[in-house]
Amino acid sequence: MTTTEEFHGFRARADAVVYHHPVVVDNAYTKWFSKGEASAADVRHLTVQFSVFSHLFVEAQLRKVINAADLETYRAGKEILMNELGVIFKPGADSRRGAAEEGVDPELVSTEGTVDGSRFRFAAAHFEWLVRFAAPLGLGFEDLGKRYHGTSSTLFFCDELLRIYGSDDPSTAEGASYAVEHWAAAGFWKELIAGLTAFQSRECPSLSLAFWTWHDKVEDQHAAHTADELDEAMSLPGFDEGKFLAGAAEMLDGVKAFWDGLWHDHLEGVSK
Ligand SMILES: [Fe+2]
């Protein structure tokens, strides 16, 4: 058992790592992207690199599930893994969105609920959403999601996900999860959506932004569960705060490498 004081101290130290990390407070790429000045080449480059990250993330998520310290974490990890692969979240019985279960597109499917007892649909895999998003940009299945499409900074991020987020040390893995969720909830989806909306109305009206808006909606919900997650992490057998904080900080360094790579590529004209 941990005391309230211990919990508050830990929470303050975790927040200090997460809220002050440069990728959370000062992401040059997404800040620029939100202004809507990205060219078609910039949007294509972002799409390909994002597809590599989001496809290889599935590997890291599987590793996280395999290394889960208890059944609860194992199942929570499976919810994310199976949903990524195409099992739609089934909303609770009290939800009015029950009918949406028939759809496969991100503008139709639920952002909450469980994969337990729900349906697998090929076309509901997040990677397939991205493939459909990318079609009006002139990108096909073969242009997306493979390791060999990744730049060195994208691959560094993906490998850090496997190593830290998928770690077999529960304190390290929980620290990385905490960091990834905070990064994701800190607003980068909204910045990308703003830039993509401008690009869509300027030169690509057939672009569907639902892949991005679906994920943004999910993150808004995750942000609400933060305190519970820290409490659960702290009660893991053998919990090591030092490893948790190091896992969080190193994971954010990996995230930063990804965005800095895209920023560098934009400035250097690699994405032209
Ligand atoms: Fe996803």
Side-chain angles (χ1 to χ4, degrees):
M1 279 302 278
T2 52
T3 66
T4 316
E5 252 164 75
E6 278 170 336
F7 178 72
H8 286 308
F10 171 47
R11 185 170 187 180
R13 289 185 290 278
D15 286 350
V17 169
V18 166
Y19 288 116
H20 298 148
H21 194 281
V23 77
V24 173
V25 295
D26 184 28
N27 184 335
Y29 182 85
T30 54
K31 208 187 277 178
W32 163 77
F33 194 90
S34 71
K35 292 194 252 163
E37 294 163 10
S39 67
D42 286 319
V43 174
R44 267 196 294 273
H45 189 57
L46 166 70
T47 302
V48 173
Q49 297 311 308
F50 207 92
S51 76
V52 173
F53 145 61
S54 97
H55 217 186
L56 297 195
F57 171 75
V58 174
E59 263 187 304
Q61 188 64 36
L62 174 61
R63 193 176 290 190
K64 182 178 168 63
V65 164
I66 290 170
N67 287 328
D70 55 31
L71 187 62
E72 199 185 339
T73 323
Y74 173 81
R75 288 187 174 182
K78 274 258 182 85
E79 292 277 8
I80 295 172
L81 177 66
M82 305 313 282
N83 181 253
E84 277 292 325
L85 291 172
V87 184
I88 293 160
F89 285 140
K90 189 160 115 180
D94 53 336
S95 168
R96 280 179 286 138
R97 299 205 51 182
E101 209 194 325
E102 295 309 312
V104 290
D105 283 321
E107 62 266 29
L108 298 174
V109 304
S110 175
T111 51
E112 53 193 308
T114 177
V115 297
D116 196 42
S118 189
R119 289 186 194 172
F120 167 77
R121 304 290 305 275
F122 283 120
H126 298 199
F127 182 68
E128 293 205 18
W129 291 349
L130 209 42
V131 170
R132 294 202 288 280
F133 163 80
L137 299 168
L139 295 165
F141 183 89
E142 65 286 357
D143 301 312
L144 299 164
K146 300 287 191 287
R147 195 178 164 88
Y148 57 76
H149 295 312
T151 62
S152 58
S153 39
T154 297
L155 296 182
F156 175 77
F157 174 37
C158 295
D159 292 341
E160 287 294 84
L161 277 169
L162 271 177
R163 182 179 75 85
I164 313 169
Y165 183 84
S167 171
D168 62 1
D169 177 83
S171 305
T172 305
E174 283 304 313
S177 282
Y178 188 72
V180 164
E181 281 178 22
H182 271 74
W183 155 59
F188 89 87
W189 292 107
K190 288 179 178 44
E191 291 175 311
L192 296 182
I193 291 164
L196 289 169
T197 304
F199 175 76
Q200 177 196 46
S201 49
R202 192 176 66 237
E203 54 186 292
C204 197
S206 56
L207 208 57
S208 160
L209 304 192
F211 169 87
W212 311 91
T213 52
W214 186 92
H215 283 91
D216 183 48
K217 243 189 274 170
V218 168
E219 296 311 340
D220 281 348
Q221 290 160 23
H222 281 172
H225 304 142
T226 308
D228 295 358
E229 276 159 33
L230 282 183
D231 203 19
E232 279 161 27
M234 236 182 148
S235 48
L236 286 171
F239 175 71
D240 182 324
E241 182 180 317
K243 286 184 179 171
F244 180 98
L245 296 176
E250 284 179 44
M251 195 61 255
L252 290 175
D253 292 344
V255 173
K256 182 170 163 44
F258 175 73
W259 294 113
D260 285 353
L262 284 167
W263 186 228
H264 168 270
D265 294 346
H266 165 69
L267 295 176
E268 297 294 309
V270 174
S271 48
K272 294 281 178 304

